[in-house]
Amino acid sequence: MLRAYYSDHFVLPLPAGHRFPMIKYRLIREGAARAVADLEFHEAQAATDGVLALAHHPRYVDLVSRGALPEQVQKDIGFPWSLEMVERSRRSAGATIAACRSAMEQGVAVNLAGGTHHAYADRGAGFCVFNDAAVAARLMQAERRAARVAIVDLDVHQGNGTASILATDDSVFTLSLHGERNYPFEKERSDLDVGLPDGVGDADYLAALEAALAQLMARFDPQLIIYLAGADPHEGDRLGRMKLSMAGMAARDTLVFELGRQQKIPIAVTMAGGYGKNIEDTVAVHVQTITLASRYAADWN
């Protein structure tokens, strides 16, 4: 039984042009419910100020909560401020925390949103308010569930906020496989960065990923993997500039899940980015990831 954590019932009051990044999460939940018979849904709980402060400056958390961020910082996030935005952001982090706890018990679990890797300790950006992976990694350590955590970020955009927050933390390994010429145009330094060219296809991408995962395991001994399974490397993505097929995306996920299965490393999955020309394509990529995760959950149990 695969556990899936969600927060998509918090609807944000957004301008028409901002609907796509949000509506996909409801469609992912509906699609996953149809595709995976034994999926167990759980509503995410909100991350508290104290938990968020494991990765974020308390003043930033307070400013977000009160709607008092400087205008440019709010603009960089990409959403207008609202109480719903704050609650959803807290619950998205809470869903990754819950997925990590569940993965430590059952091997694999998923957050049906999350992957907000552009959020820094003191600011948000790129539709990211709080950095759920960094928060969850730190909390798993604080709860003594996992001393060493690897964040495997396969969103097409570099996890710049994650890299910055964890830059001096040797207990969390950050791996980012991303488009070298894509956003953010000024990259941070992860423990392992693999920048790929525009137009990369299945074979070259998968070879780069296999080599990166081998490097990760040679340099680090993770007790938990937080996997950002972005849909944006797919060939139908408006922003990704890569050319992975649906089969290539499935092979990507399989490489990560096989690593977890072979090495007995729990994996918490987040959806991260995806902005397809057709929203159905993006949802299909995410649902495929969840379906594959469910098969590995069955292998663990």
Side-chain angles (χ1 to χ4, degrees):
M1 175 87 60
L2 179 69
R3 294 177 185 168
Y5 298 87
Y6 68 92
S7 55
D8 59 72
H9 59 300
F10 287 89
V11 179
L12 306 190
L14 300 177
H18 291 263
R19 274 182 57 79
F20 177 49
M22 290 288 98
I23 196 173
K24 78 166 186 176
Y25 297 111
R26 176 176 59 81
L27 297 177
I28 290 168
R29 179 152 64 104
E30 293 170 355
R34 291 191 296 269
V36 182
D38 61 348
L39 199 58
E40 185 179 282
F41 290 103
H42 296 271
E43 180 181 345
Q45 299 301 306
T48 65
D49 286 4
V51 167
L52 293 173
L54 292 171
H56 293 284
H57 295 176
R59 175 168 169 76
Y60 172 66
V61 176
D62 177 62
L63 291 174
V64 170
S65 301
R66 293 191 290 111
L69 288 171
E71 182 179 354
Q72 186 57 52
V73 175
Q74 190 69 57
K75 184 178 179 181
D76 289 344
I77 287 172
F79 300 135
W81 185 88
S82 67
L83 289 173
E84 293 87 351
M85 183 208 81
V86 177
E87 186 68 10
R88 187 188 181 102
S89 299
R90 288 179 180 274
R91 288 182 182 253
S92 185
T96 298
I97 290 166
C100 287
R101 289 173 176 154
S102 185
M104 295 301 296
E105 297 171 2
Q106 296 194 329
V108 187
V110 300
N111 174 3
L112 299 182
T116 46
H117 59 169
H118 298 312
Y120 283 72
D122 60 349
R123 66 188 189 278
F127 305 120
C128 302
V129 180
F130 301 125
N131 194 305
D132 61 306
V135 169
R138 289 264 173 84
L139 185 59
M140 293 308 100
Q141 293 174 326
E143 293 178 347
R144 299 190 177 185
R145 297 174 189 266
R148 299 177 305 280
V149 181
I151 298 175
V152 175
D153 189 339
L154 302 188
D155 188 281
V156 82
H157 305 111
Q158 194 216 28
N160 56 335
T162 309
S164 174
I165 291 170
L166 300 168
T168 61
D169 190 341
D170 292 338
S171 68
V172 182
F173 191 100
T174 54
L175 186 166
S176 181
L177 192 79
H178 53 262
E180 183 62 31
R181 297 176 58 194
N182 212 322
Y183 177 90
F185 303 110
E186 293 186 9
K187 307 288 195 287
E188 301 289 346
R189 184 173 181 179
S190 308
D191 290 303
L192 177 56
D193 284 302
V194 181
L196 298 173
D198 290 356
V200 68
D202 291 352
D204 289 340
Y205 184 98
L206 294 170
L209 175 57
E210 194 166 11
L213 293 175
Q215 268 204 66
L216 162 64
M217 296 306 297
R219 294 170 52 186
F220 194 69
D221 182 23
Q223 296 172 316
L224 169 68
I225 292 173
I226 300 176
Y227 172 33
L228 278 65
D232 38 15
H234 182 249
E235 60 190 350
D237 199 85
R238 290 184 291 114
L239 305 179
R241 292 154 56 173
M242 291 185 181
K243 299 296 181 183
L244 271 69
S245 66
M246 284 294 291
M249 297 297 289
R252 176 201 70 167
D253 293 339
T254 297
L255 282 174
V256 178
F257 291 135
E258 273 293 327
L259 174 66
R261 185 181 67 81
Q262 292 173 6
Q263 301 296 327
K264 288 297 179 185
I265 306 168
I267 301 177
V269 187
T270 70
M271 297 296 100
Y275 312 93
K277 296 167 188 173
N278 298 310
I279 191 171
E280 294 82 6
D281 292 341
T282 297
V283 172
V285 173
H286 287 307
V287 170
Q288 178 174 255
T289 297
I290 296 162
T291 302
L292 289 168
S294 73
R295 296 174 188 170
Y296 283 92
D299 288 345
W300 274 81
N301 296 329

